[in-house]
Amino acid sequence: MQVLSTTHELGINGASLAIPEIAARLTTRGDRIDVLVPEEVTGPLQGLIESAGGRVIRAANIKTGYDVALVNTILNAQMVSSMAPHMPVVWYIHEAEAGFDWLLKNSEGAAAFQAATHVILYHPHCRDTVFAPFLRHFPQHAVSIIPSGADIPPPDAPVPRAHEKDGRGILFVGTPYSRKRPVDLMSAFLAFCDGAPPLRIVGDSSYLDPDARPLLKRAPDRFQFLGVLDWPALRAEYERASILSLPSGSESMGRVTMEAALHGCALVLSDLPVHKGVWRDGKSALLHSVGDQPSLGLALRRLLDHPEDRIRLAEAARMVALNYPKEQSLDRVLMVLDRVTRAHQLSQPRSSAQNGVR
């Protein structure tokens, strides 16, 4: 099978990492994948794609040579429409409400839903609520819900020990722009987390919400910006931290919470629809309303002051995350690619020889 994928960026984030991971699975079984990117785009993701056996290209004849397209993220809606006349298209949408907002501002998005062969979403909420207006006439069998997963440690690997951690380290992982609401966390941290080490923030600080600047000016020594980290460095941060806080206004059930939980972190999360059925307030995480800085701060303070709660929640979170192995998610994506490709091949007119014509 020859797959044509596409991405608008070569930076590293949860959505873009899906490409080299899928590429590795495809090339291992003998398939090929080209990843089409804009001419001017560069970044570290290219090395990961090539290490996985894929090929990054800047131009392609999309009319011939490919069995199926895998279009990554909502932002590549235009590529769905461009590729659909020439091959079946699987649209892998990683966004939730943020993706819907983008569609409202970009008219090509609605047309892309009409052109796509199959759509992959992370959570039923994304299908039944967020993108429901665009999927109203979409065949039910052509929408797959495939949750994001994380690397599950082997059975003989050491189990992270929440009770052995310092108990005071708080971590944020993600691009710190307005949708992730870093200001809520930074404000709550200053108001409620006296005595804790500086809040450590992993992500591209060039996107920092401008409203965070006054907080930085007020207490510059209370925040540490670590930038974008490779996996070994990020894993070290998960192992160091005791609490992961993600106060986002919108998520699609990305991998950060799973990764942190697998490394022994207790979770403090905004109460989003995509967390329902996964994280339970007071059982496997502490949830707060979006934008509720006092509730966020009190949740952090509770975990700082009551190690028994933090340890209990961290251990429960790890048990949840073990149910979401990344390998299973990747297997399901490949099953969709195989099924869509096969259905397309069967729908094509057979050659004269196949039809018995002499």
Side-chain angles (χ1 to χ4, degrees):
M1 180 167 63
Q2 177 71 39
V3 179
L4 177 62
S5 187
T6 183
T7 182
H8 63 288
E9 63 176 353
L10 288 171
I12 294 178
N13 54 55
S16 66
L17 283 172
I19 298 177
E21 291 168 351
I22 292 168
R25 299 300 292 274
L26 287 168
T27 56
T28 296
R29 69 179 199 179
D31 295 322
R32 298 174 58 196
I33 179 170
D34 290 343
V35 182
L36 180 63
V37 301
E39 185 67 37
E40 69 282 1
V41 170
T42 60
L45 191 72
Q46 179 166 350
L48 296 179
I49 293 170
E50 292 170 348
S51 296
R55 184 174 65 140
V56 174
I57 59 175
R58 260 83 184 182
N61 180 1
I62 64 175
K63 295 182 180 181
T64 60
Y66 296 101
D67 298 302
V68 64
L70 176 66
V71 175
N72 204 49
T73 85
I74 200 84
L75 301 181
N76 286 297
Q78 187 173 4
M79 295 305 299
V80 175
S81 299
S82 297
M83 293 174 173
H86 312 292
M87 69 192 86
V89 178
V90 176
W91 195 4
Y92 197 177
I93 298 177
H94 300 262
E95 298 84 358
E97 288 84 1
F100 180 81
D101 292 342
W102 184 89
L103 287 170
L104 293 180
K105 300 173 185 176
N106 294 272
S107 58
E108 70 268 23
F113 277 99
Q114 299 298 317
T117 310
H118 200 103
V119 172
I120 299 175
L121 302 167
Y122 278 166
H123 193 278
H125 170 72
C126 299
R127 176 195 61 203
D128 301 336
T129 302
V130 178
F131 297 112
F134 301 97
L135 295 171
R136 187 172 295 114
H137 302 296
F138 211 79
Q140 290 187 2
H141 70 271
V143 181
S144 292
I145 304 301
I146 304 179
S148 178
D151 286 311
I152 303 300
D156 58 348
V159 176
R161 302 293 184 183
H163 64 273
E164 294 177 355
K165 293 194 175 190
D166 179 305
R168 300 178 302 139
I170 300 173
L171 180 68
F172 170 94
V173 178
T175 305
Y177 66 122
S178 56
R179 180 173 67 84
K180 298 286 187 177
R181 303 189 68 91
V183 173
D184 288 346
L185 175 56
M186 294 168 70
S187 298
F189 180 80
L190 290 181
F192 290 89
C193 297
D194 290 342
L199 172 66
R200 294 171 72 82
I201 298 173
V202 174
D204 188 345
S205 60
S206 66
Y207 290 94
L208 182 64
D209 189 330
D211 290 344
R213 306 293 178 186
L215 300 174
L216 284 175
K217 186 175 181 180
R218 190 172 107 205
D221 60 333
R222 299 295 289 142
F223 307 105
Q224 294 179 349
F225 289 86
L226 308 179
V228 178
L229 303 180
D230 61 17
W231 172 242
L234 178 56
R235 181 174 56 205
E237 288 302 318
Y238 287 139
E239 291 171 351
R240 171 179 179 164
S242 290
I243 303 165
L244 176 89
S245 178
L246 193 62
S248 300
S250 171
E251 289 289 337
S252 58
M253 193 186 163
R255 68 178 71 195
V256 168
T257 52
M258 300 296 175
E259 291 174 344
L262 287 171
H263 287 84
C265 294
L267 306 179
V268 177
L269 310 172
S270 45
D271 191 4
L272 300 175
V274 295
H275 291 155
K276 296 187 186 305
V278 182
W279 306 112
R280 297 176 59 197
D281 185 33
K283 302 295 184 180
S284 55
L286 293 182
L287 306 180
H288 60 85
S289 298
V290 174
D292 188 345
Q293 294 179 11
S295 293
L296 167 57
L298 288 170
L300 295 173
R301 190 75 251 174
R302 172 180 168 182
L303 298 183
L304 293 174
D305 290 344
H306 300 280
E308 67 281 2
D309 282 353
R310 176 182 57 78
I311 294 166
R312 175 179 58 82
L313 288 167
E315 291 176 347
R318 184 174 184 276
M319 296 306 295
V320 170
L322 288 171
N323 293 311
Y324 293 89
K326 183 173 69 179
E327 293 303 307
Q328 186 178 85
S329 297
L330 294 173
D331 283 344
R332 294 179 63 188
V333 173
L334 263 63
M335 286 175 62
V336 169
L337 292 173
D338 290 340
R339 189 168 74 243
V340 168
T341 300
R342 181 62 177 159
H344 178 72
Q345 291 171 344
L346 292 174
S347 69
Q348 299 304 298
R350 291 185 295 174
S351 66
S352 295
Q354 289 174 317
N355 284 314
V357 178
R358 303 294 181 186

